[in-house]
């Protein structure tokens, strides 16, 4: 009897340890369309960006081992929603690192690498990205739209944060997150850059299930009757 208890206990401990490092996660919103769809399953890992205390129905916002350099621009990260102490994890794309500068104008996203003109221009030259001179600085214009399925919809009306965002320097140990479905995403444009300790996992593999036509056509938009809605098409 004792041997069975130890055996089953060892198996249970092994499963918990494995799920602390890699685990499946179900997508439960549409803010990452079409990279991730509501109902898709993804695998996340708890190592590349440091080892975070895992979330098993609770949240402890602290890393056991920090490795911020493991976070790259373009990573899809799972983080604790900053406006809810006991909320769920959000999945968004990291679009700016500490020291970067971001801005949005008329739904166009602008990124300045390291907050410096020289680095931004060198980055644009190396990767053949468009540059714009705005607010007395050089910016990459919509850099993520060149490699990821960033979605805009001219029919969408919504809060002004989805249209314009002021030039913002990302503080140390914080990361700017945005959904790929830019017109229907509650992200850093609303709650600001996310603290490193609130970042739990990195998505490393996506298992996408097929979607029928009706599901794709039925993507919801912001309610134009909302008091925060901007009743103008862009």
């Amino acid at each position: 009897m004792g041997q069975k208890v130890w055996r089953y206990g060892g198996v249970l401990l092994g499963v918990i340890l494995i799920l602390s490092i890699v685990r499946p996660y179900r997508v439960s919103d549409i803010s990452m369309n079409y990279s991730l769809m509501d109902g898709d399953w993804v695998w996340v890992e708890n190592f590349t960006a440091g080892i975070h205390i895992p979330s098993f129905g609770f949240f402890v916002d602290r890393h056991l081992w920090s490795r911020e350099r493991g976070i790259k621009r373009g990573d899809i990260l799972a983080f604790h929603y900053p406006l809810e102490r006991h909320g769920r994890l959000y999945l968004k794309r990291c679009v700016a690192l500490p020291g970067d500068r971001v801005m949005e104008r008329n739904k166009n996203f602008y990124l300045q690498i390291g907050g410096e003109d020289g680095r931004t221009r060198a980055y644009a030259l190396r990767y053949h990205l468009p540059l714009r001179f705005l607010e007395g600085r050089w910016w990459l214009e919509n850099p993520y739209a060149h490699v990821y399925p960033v979605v805009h919809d001219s029919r969408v009306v919504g809060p002004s944060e989805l249209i314009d965002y002021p030039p913002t320097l990302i503080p140390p140990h914080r990361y700017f997150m945005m959904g790929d479905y830019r017109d229907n995403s509650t992200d850093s444009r609303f709650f600001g850059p996310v603290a490193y300790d609130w970042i739990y996992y990195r998505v490393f593999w996506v298992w996408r299930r097929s979607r029928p036509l009706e599901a794709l056509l039925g993507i919801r938009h912001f309610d134009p009757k909302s008091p925060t809605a901007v009743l103008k098409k862009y």
Side-chain angles (χ1 to χ4, degrees):
M1 182 68 178
Q3 289 183 345
K4 288 186 177 180
V5 171
W6 279 105
R7 185 181 305 135
Y8 291 133
V11 171
L12 179 61
L13 179 61
V15 170
I16 292 175
L17 289 175
I18 291 173
L19 292 178
S20 297
I21 301 299
V22 295
R23 61 190 298 185
Y25 187 86
R26 186 180 184 275
V27 180
S28 59
D29 62 39
I30 65 170
S31 67
M32 284 300 295
N33 286 2
Y34 291 93
S35 300
L36 303 174
M37 301 286 287
D38 183 22
D40 286 348
W41 284 88
V42 300
W43 282 90
V44 298
E45 53 91 1
N46 186 15
F47 186 78
T48 300
I51 298 177
H52 200 288
I53 296 177
S55 63
F56 292 108
F58 60 89
F59 300 101
V60 179
D61 299 321
R62 185 165 62 86
H63 282 81
L64 297 173
W65 174 59
S66 295
R67 189 176 183 270
E68 290 194 59
R69 69 179 184 276
I71 298 177
K72 308 298 182 184
R73 299 181 188 90
D75 283 350
I76 298 178
L77 303 172
F79 59 92
H80 191 180
Y81 180 41
L83 300 184
E84 289 184 17
R85 185 67 188 128
H86 301 290
R88 59 188 176 90
L89 293 179
Y90 269 36
L91 289 178
K92 307 287 182 185
R93 192 177 301 282
C94 176
V95 298
L97 303 178
D100 289 346
R101 190 176 268 108
V102 298
M103 178 176 68
E104 199 167 37
R105 276 193 176 182
N106 198 24
K107 294 190 178 183
N108 289 299
F109 175 74
Y110 296 95
L111 172 67
Q112 190 178 57
I113 303 297
E116 299 176 5
D117 285 348
R119 290 182 62 184
T120 303
R121 296 178 69 177
Y123 198 94
L125 181 64
R126 179 179 180 182
Y127 295 108
H128 308 288
L129 295 173
L131 276 170
R132 286 289 301 276
F133 189 75
L134 299 168
E135 301 282 338
R137 297 179 180 275
W138 286 101
W139 305 81
L140 302 176
E141 184 176 45
N142 296 317
Y144 293 96
H146 291 262
V147 288
Y148 300 115
V150 173
V151 179
H152 284 287
D153 192 329
S154 61
R155 298 170 297 172
V156 173
V157 291
S160 59
E161 289 88 347
L162 299 178
I163 300 165
D164 295 298
Y165 192 82
T168 301
L169 181 66
I170 311 303
H173 314 298
R174 292 184 178 269
Y175 298 81
F176 204 85
M177 309 290 187
M178 295 179 73
D180 284 353
Y181 189 8
R182 294 291 170 78
D183 296 337
N184 204 347
S185 175
T186 301
D187 50 37
S188 287
R189 292 172 290 181
F190 294 90
F191 48 70
V194 175
Y196 173 64
D197 276 342
W198 290 63
I199 298 172
Y200 278 68
Y201 307 110
R202 184 184 71 91
V203 173
F204 72 94
W205 187 61
V206 179
W207 176 53
R208 167 178 283 184
R209 296 177 293 180
S210 62
R211 293 290 184 275
L213 176 64
E214 289 78 9
L216 295 175
L217 293 175
I219 295 173
R220 54 189 169 83
H221 303 294
F222 275 103
D223 182 0
K225 297 181 181 179
S226 169
T228 59
V230 176
L231 301 179
K232 181 179 179 181
K233 293 183 179 180
Y234 288 78

